[in-house]
Each structure stands twice: as C-alpha cells, then as structure tokens.
C-alpha cells in the first residue's frame, strides 16, 4: 500500500507570492490533516478535511486555506507569502475514525525569500 | 484547551545508555488519547504508540517503554540501551476523545542525539 505522498518536496518562493501544496492520502483514508513544522514552534495544526469538508481548523490566518477533492486528495494554499511562512508542511491521513493515529508524508519544505 | 509540553528541547546520551523523554499534557476531557511519534532525519513522522485515558497500564515494546501517570498528567517514553538509530526528534501528542473536533495536538518535540 502506498504511503502519504506530498508534492513538491521543495519549493522556493518570494514574499507576496502564493503557493499550492498537494497531498495524496493512503488509499481508503478519507481524512487529511495539515501541519506546519518550524524549529521554534514544533508541529502546529493547520486544518483537517474529511469527505471534502473542513472538520477542524487551527489558529492560522485566512491566508492559509485548503480543500479536499472527491478522491480524498487535498491541496493547501498560502497566499501573500511572508518570510515567516518558511517551514516544513506536513500532510497526514487517516481513515477518519475519531482519535485514530495519523500517517504522515515526508513533507514539503517551503522557503520564502 | 488541550496542550502538550515537552520540556526537554534536546538530549544527548552515549550509546547503550537509557534515556527518558518527558511529556506532560493538559486537557479538560476525561476521555483522551496520547501518542508518541518519531521523526528521523528523513522528515517523515513515524507512529510509535497510542494510549487511551482509561488504560493506565505501562507498555513495553522491545527497547521502548511508556509510563502513563494520570495523577501527574504525564506520558513518558523510555528507550533502554539506546542505539545510534534512535537519534531523531520525538513528539508527544494529545487528542481529546469526547470532543467532536478530535484534532491531534503535538508538543514541540525533543531532539535526541545518541552518540557512538
């Protein structure tokens, strides 16, 4: 069974641009969560999608948005990039039952210059 | 609100020593779940264990063991006879069980260096 796949692996953008990250969950998993990982803050929860609906949301500004498609694939978008958005963005999937463990991808390393 | 604290930012031990990673959590729920994940240099988080709040039995899996103490809201992780391959960042996490929004919240992680 293929794991969680995130593309691209690395991205370099400049301030003010926008970026879209992609995540393909494990087959059969209907929930996709996104996390931002930075050296100082650890893993911070962005949002979770389940069956194309946002189920949970963290404390991030509206510049961070996401969506989920009918095949459970998810995209995350960050508009008007700031230097502080430089981070490793991790996607995780699970079947969707409450309190299940998450399966993580390798992440997208975003650098904002 | 749920919170996870890993007070140890970075730990270095010599190979074959035992090491304990601390995790303290806060929750208002009586039903909750605790997790440990390992993040090796490759970046992908690997699931290690999940415990629910009703099961206070300590667990051992090979060189790994976990000590869950509700009285002190702690869920500590011990590696016995550490090996260089154990070098990684370890995250403790919490999910509130009865809350409809069962998002998993992570601590800031402990970076563990096992020195040969």
């Amino acid at each position: 069974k293929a794991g969680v796949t995130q593309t691209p692996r690395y991205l370099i953008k400049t301030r003010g641009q926008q970026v879209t990250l992609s995540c393909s969950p494990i087959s059969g998993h209907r929930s996709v969560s996104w996390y931002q990982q930075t050296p100082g803050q650890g893993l911070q929860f962005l949002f979770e999608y389940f069956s194309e609906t946002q189920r949970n949301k963290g404390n991030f500004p509206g510049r961070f948005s996401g969506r989920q498609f009918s095949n459970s694939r998810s995209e995350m978008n960050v508009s008007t990039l700031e230097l502080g958005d430089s981070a490793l963005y991790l996607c995780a999937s699970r079947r969707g039952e409450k309190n299940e463990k998450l399966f993580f991808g390798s992440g997208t390393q975003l650098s904002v210059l | 609100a749920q919170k996870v604290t890993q007070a140890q930012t970075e730990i270095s031990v010599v190979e074959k020593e035992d090491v304990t990673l601390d995790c303290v959590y806060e929750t208002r729920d009586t039903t909750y779940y605790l997790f440990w994940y390992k993040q090796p240099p490759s970046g992908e988080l690997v699931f290690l264990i999940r415990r629910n709040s009703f099961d206070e039995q300590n667990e051992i899996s090979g060189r790994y063991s976990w000590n869950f103490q509700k009285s002190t809201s702690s869920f500590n992780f011990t590696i016995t006879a550490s090996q260089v391959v154990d070098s990684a960042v370890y995250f403790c996490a919490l999910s509130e069980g009865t809350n409809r929004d069962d998002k998993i919240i992570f601590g800031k992680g402990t970076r563990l260096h096992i020195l040969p």
Side-chain angles (χ1 to χ4, degrees), chain B residues 41-96:
Chain B
S42 62
E44 187 171 321
L45 273 83
V46 176
F47 168 79
L48 294 176
I49 191 172
R50 183 187 82 155
R51 300 304 299 275
N52 71 52
S53 53
F54 295 109
D55 183 2
E56 287 191 74
Q57 250 188 332
N58 290 331
E59 179 150 343
I60 298 174
S61 176
R63 296 184 297 106
Y64 296 170
S65 63
W66 290 269
N67 183 0
F68 177 30
Q69 301 236 342
K70 267 175 113 165
S71 59
T72 55
S73 297
S74 65
F75 185 43
N76 297 338
F77 171 34
T78 297
I79 302 175
T80 303
S82 60
Q83 299 176 2
V84 172
V85 293
D86 295 327
S87 297
V89 181
Y90 290 85
F91 290 94
C92 180
L94 166 70
S95 173
E96 291 177 331

Side-chain angles (χ1 to χ4, degrees), chain A residues 4 9 35 37 39-43 45 48 55-58 88 90 94 96-107, chain B residues 32-33 35 37 39 41-47 50 89 91 95-109:
Chain A
V4 178
R9 188 72 178 92
Y35 288 83
Q37 184 178 10
Q41 297 301 317
L43 270 80
F45 175 75
E48 179 186 13
R55 184 159 80 171
N56 282 309
K57 190 176 186 311
L88 179 66
L90 291 163
R94 53 182 174 174
E97 303 288 327
K98 281 173 65 64
N99 304 302
E100 274 184 311
K101 65 184 181 185
L102 295 169
F103 293 82
F104 281 85
S106 298
Chain B
Y32 51 89
Y33 292 78
F35 304 78
Y37 281 83
Q39 186 180 39
S42 62
E44 187 171 321
L45 273 83
V46 176
F47 168 79
R50 183 187 82 155
V89 181
F91 290 94
S95 173
E96 291 177 331
T98 55
N99 193 334
R100 186 179 174 79
D101 302 326
D102 63 323
K103 60 190 176 191
I104 299 180
I105 299 301
F106 286 78
K108 293 188 178 182

